[in-house]
Amino acid sequence: MPITLKITPPLEGVLCITLNRSEVMNALNTQLLGELADTLSDADSDDKVRAVVITGNTKAFAAGADINEMAERDLVGMLEDPRQHHWKTITHFRKPIIAAVNGYALGGGCELAMHADIIIAGENALFGQPEINLGIMPGAGGTQRLLRAVGKSLATQMVLTGEPISARRAFEAGLVSEITQPELTLERAKAIALHIASKAPLAVRLARESLHKAMDTDLATGLRFERHAFTLLAGTADREEGIRAFQEKRPATFQGH
Ligand code: DAK
């Protein structure tokens, strides 16, 4: 039973995970990351889960790695840090994640939000990589994913000054796809997750993988992957159902095969 997370059982295909260390701005300690990795691992093989929403509270999505815990680790401790394994599990999760971000998304918190496929931000959200203020640097994608999301100049400014950006600036830069009133952020993220959860799961999975390819390969390789994935879907019952439903002018019911 997780202690650092609140988990709402899957409803219409959507699992909702709330980070639950509000007394420390949802700082990501090893236990929280472990519980999150385990929850996502289970969700990966659970047919009832088609999309996941991750959120925090109104003050903080997450203010980064737990600095007090980090202070206890020396070089060898960092090399053997179990958190690296948990981050890897989160990275390799195969279903869409929507992050509903209010308040601080700093350091590892910003990096966790960037592990999501879609970020919905409340007007009060602040995104930043303040590691430089601690004499360290981002370690969970904060230089790589941020640069790809917002471009070189803004990413460099954020990482080297440690200054956060507002939700509005993050929206303009393409880091987040929508801004909402803070009290509506979670509802909006859930609505998007529900929408995705109603689509054909194999098509969602392959489309998502193809989008990810655009981040880490050249155009020709990405286009080749896209074509193969598109072709593979021709063998699915859900494609047949989707096309037949269109022709019969009725909503499609997808089964996931
Ligand atoms: N860790 C531990 N405690 C934290 C925390 C954090 N990151 N952030 C906040 N807290 C705690 C505060 O210490 C305080 O605790 P008490 O004093 O009440 O006991 C409580 O939360 C409330 O915070 P404040 O009193 O400071 O609240 P304010 O509103 O004044 O300020 C703040 C909120 C978020 C601006 C401020 O707390 C702050 O600057 N927090 C630190 C933000 C930060 O520097 N984040 C980056 C951490 S480094 C890796 C992967 C990832 C990482 C590293 C390695 N590998 C895979 C290898 C990631 C590194 C990081 O994220």
Side-chain angles (χ1 to χ4, degrees), residues 149-187:
V150 306
K152 178 184 153 201
S153 186
L154 182 55
T156 304
Q157 188 174 327
M158 289 170 70
V159 170
L160 298 190
T161 67
E163 285 294 308
I165 59 170
S166 66
R168 173 67 45 196
R169 186 85 174 89
F171 173 72
E172 289 162 359
L175 179 61
V176 314
S177 58
E178 287 183 26
I179 303 181
T180 64
Q181 292 169 20
E183 57 277 17
L184 298 179
T185 315
L186 180 57
E187 285 321 304

Side-chain angles (χ1 to χ4, degrees), residues 21-29 33 59-60 62-70 78-79 81-88 104-111 126 128-134 136-142 164:
R21 297 189 77 216
S22 56
E23 69 287 1
V24 285
M25 301 275 174
N26 287 334
L28 306 169
N29 63 359
L33 284 172
K59 270 194 171 165
D66 190 310
I67 296 172
N68 299 321
E69 191 183 59
M70 218 164 49
M78 289 306 271
L79 286 171
D81 192 343
R83 291 176 308 164
Q84 310 217 25
H85 175 70
H86 301 325
W87 278 109
K88 211 173 275 175
Y104 298 109
L106 302 178
C110 186
E111 293 172 317
L126 276 179
Q129 299 291 160
E131 289 90 341
I132 203 82
N133 299 327
L134 302 169
I136 56 171
M137 61 173 281

Side-chain angles (χ1 to χ4, degrees), residues 4-24:
T4 60
L5 306 175
K6 277 191 222 154
I7 298 170
T8 316
L11 193 65
E12 293 181 63
V14 176
L15 176 76
C16 186
I17 301 172
T18 305
L19 310 181
N20 188 32
R21 297 189 77 216
S22 56
E23 69 287 1
V24 285

Side-chain angles (χ1 to χ4, degrees), residues 182-232:
E183 57 277 17
L184 298 179
T185 315
L186 180 57
E187 285 321 304
R188 181 63 190 138
K190 279 185 184 166
I192 294 168
L194 274 174
H195 200 142
I196 293 171
S198 71
K199 309 297 180 193
L202 289 172
V204 167
R205 178 177 301 179
L206 288 177
R208 179 178 180 269
E209 262 184 59
S210 196
L211 286 158
H212 282 205
K213 276 277 180 282
M215 296 285 225
D216 49 44
T217 192
D218 60 277
L219 181 62
T221 311
L223 288 171
R224 209 161 39 243
F225 181 91
E226 183 187 84
R227 201 165 47 248
H228 286 320
F230 179 84
T231 308
L232 265 181

Side-chain angles (χ1 to χ4, degrees), residues 8-75:
T8 316
L11 193 65
E12 293 181 63
V14 176
L15 176 76
C16 186
I17 301 172
T18 305
L19 310 181
N20 188 32
R21 297 189 77 216
S22 56
E23 69 287 1
V24 285
M25 301 275 174
N26 287 334
L28 306 169
N29 63 359
T30 304
Q31 182 174 5
L32 187 151
L33 284 172
E35 290 181 355
L36 183 57
D38 288 348
T39 305
L40 291 179
S41 259
D42 292 346
D44 225 350
S45 53
D46 183 348
D47 287 346
K48 291 194 293 301
V49 179
R50 292 188 175 187
V52 171
V53 172
I54 300 181
T55 195
N57 55 57
T58 46
K59 270 194 171 165
F61 177 72
D66 190 310
I67 296 172
N68 299 321
E69 191 183 59
M70 218 164 49
E72 288 162 16
R73 289 191 175 269
D74 57 8
L75 175 61

